[in-house]
Amino acid sequence: MGEFDLIRRFFQRPAAAGVEVGVGDDCAVLVPTPGARWLVSSDMLVEGRHFLSTVDPARLGHKALAVNLSDLAACGATPRGFTLALALPRADEAWLAGFAQGLWALADASGIPLIGGDTTQGPLNLCLTVFGEAPPGQALLRSGARVGDEIWVSGRLGDARLALEVFRGRVVLAGEAFEQVRVAMELPTPRLALGQALRGVATAALDISDGLLGDLGHLLAASGVGATLELAALPRSAVLAVQPPAVQQECLLAGGDDYELVFTAPPGARLPDVGVPLTRIGRIEAAPGLRVVDARGERVDHGLRSFDHFQS
Ligand code: ADP
Ligand code: MG
């Protein structure tokens, strides 16, 4: 199978609505919604760094797109298209079929067409770019949090990190419990509907990819504010809730790969109900820095920091 057969077989489909020219020409041609703003984001996934070589290719196809869609969700964008740049050691048909199936399933469920990309031989590496739209002035940014705002998070935190610790041999889980946290790690759900529903409601937002402490820290820095987080309020699964306190803290605060949205909103704001649980986890304050407190309001000395590719 040559490069162009591969593209035709796995990644080319008839152009979708809003796409004048899709895969097959030198550029894709998109039809913008009049007046809308473009929102663009890229995320690269490198074997051994972002995923294990043994991962099911369909799950990898899902995750590669999910982590990119999560950035659109964080900004409240409506997905419009994505590109896929793929380096593959060889054209393994079974692997490609699985990967494409996972990718297309999430693309179809999210209403986002594949509009182009690049395919090359090389160490397994996936780089996607997503394009979305939002009305002028309505993109959710990191910089809008105000003193007195409440801090909210969607879904549950820490399960993906717990699964990683099982793979690393630091935590033992079996059966249903392991499958549940493994799904959190391998099949994250981008919170697109929530992000769009938070336009005009949230003052600031981002998605958690590298761990709550670090990612929330970026939001605080961008907004020029500080915050206090309540450790006991952080939403966690029944599987994580029975782990030792130190493991729970690490997974919740510095886990990474959560792909949940953290956002701020004034007290009393009418939050949207899109079927995703929302939990209030803290408050924005004027004093700079991020404090974590326990159920009695005492400072928790966690000693944790977020994932950093060049410091880990
Ligand atoms: P060019 O050499 O002009 O950059 P390519 O030969 O690399 O174009 O690709 C041919 C067409 O296939 C282009 O439309 C490109 O966007 C698309 N394409 C290449 N690889 C992929 C891929 N992995 N997924 C989707 N589209 C792809
Ligand atoms: Mg060309």
Side-chain angles (χ1 to χ4, degrees), residues 52-62 95 98-99 101 182 186:
L52 306 168
S53 58
T54 51
V55 69
D56 170 8
R59 289 190 170 193
L60 182 61
H62 172 103
W95 190 93
F99 176 81
Q101 185 244 315
R182 183 176 188 168
E186 295 180 348

Side-chain angles (χ1 to χ4, degrees), residues 64-84:
L65 181 56
V67 305
N68 278 276
L69 290 175
S70 182
D71 285 317
L72 288 184
C75 290
T78 305
R80 287 297 314 277
F82 73 102
T83 61
L84 169 65

Side-chain angles (χ1 to χ4, degrees), residues 7-201:
I7 295 167
R8 248 194 314 277
R9 270 186 62 187
F10 296 106
F11 301 117
Q12 190 162 24
R13 281 195 182 173
V19 182
E20 248 172 38
V21 178
V23 170
D25 213 306
D26 290 310
C27 289
V29 182
L30 301 188
V31 186
T33 301
R37 298 297 181 257
W38 284 113
L39 289 91
V40 181
S41 177
S42 293
D43 254 310
M44 182 154 64
L45 285 83
V46 176
E47 179 173 6
R49 196 69 186 166
H50 300 93
F51 58 91
L52 306 168
S53 58
T54 51
V55 69
D56 170 8
R59 289 190 170 193
L60 182 61
H62 172 103
K63 185 164 178 176
L65 181 56
V67 305
N68 278 276
L69 290 175
S70 182
D71 285 317
L72 288 184
C75 290
T78 305
R80 287 297 314 277
F82 73 102
T83 61
L84 169 65
L86 198 57
L88 295 169
R90 63 197 163 276
D92 175 337
E93 296 198 26
W95 190 93
L96 276 160
F99 176 81
Q101 185 244 315
L103 183 84
W104 284 112
L106 181 61
D108 290 345
S110 311
I112 189 166
L114 177 57
I115 57 171
D118 197 25
T119 307
T120 173
Q121 197 273 331
L124 185 55
N125 188 329
L126 310 162
C127 184
L128 284 74
T129 299
V130 285
F131 300 81
E133 286 183 339
Q138 287 197 32
L140 302 176
L141 304 178
R142 298 177 174 189
S143 50
R146 295 290 169 261
V147 173
D149 282 355
E150 294 176 325
I151 306 171
W152 294 82
V153 69
S154 65
R156 293 187 304 226
L157 301 176
D159 276 1
R161 174 59 179 270
L162 188 59
L164 182 62
E165 296 303 336
V166 174
F167 281 111
R168 286 173 168 169
R170 282 183 53 198
V171 170
V172 178
L173 282 182
E176 234 348 87
F178 176 51
E179 193 46 37
Q180 183 192 311
V181 297
R182 183 176 188 168
V183 163
M185 179 171 93
E186 295 180 348
L187 294 172
T189 306
R191 303 299 189 190
L192 284 163
L194 176 62
Q196 289 165 50
L198 285 171
R199 288 178 192 158
V201 178

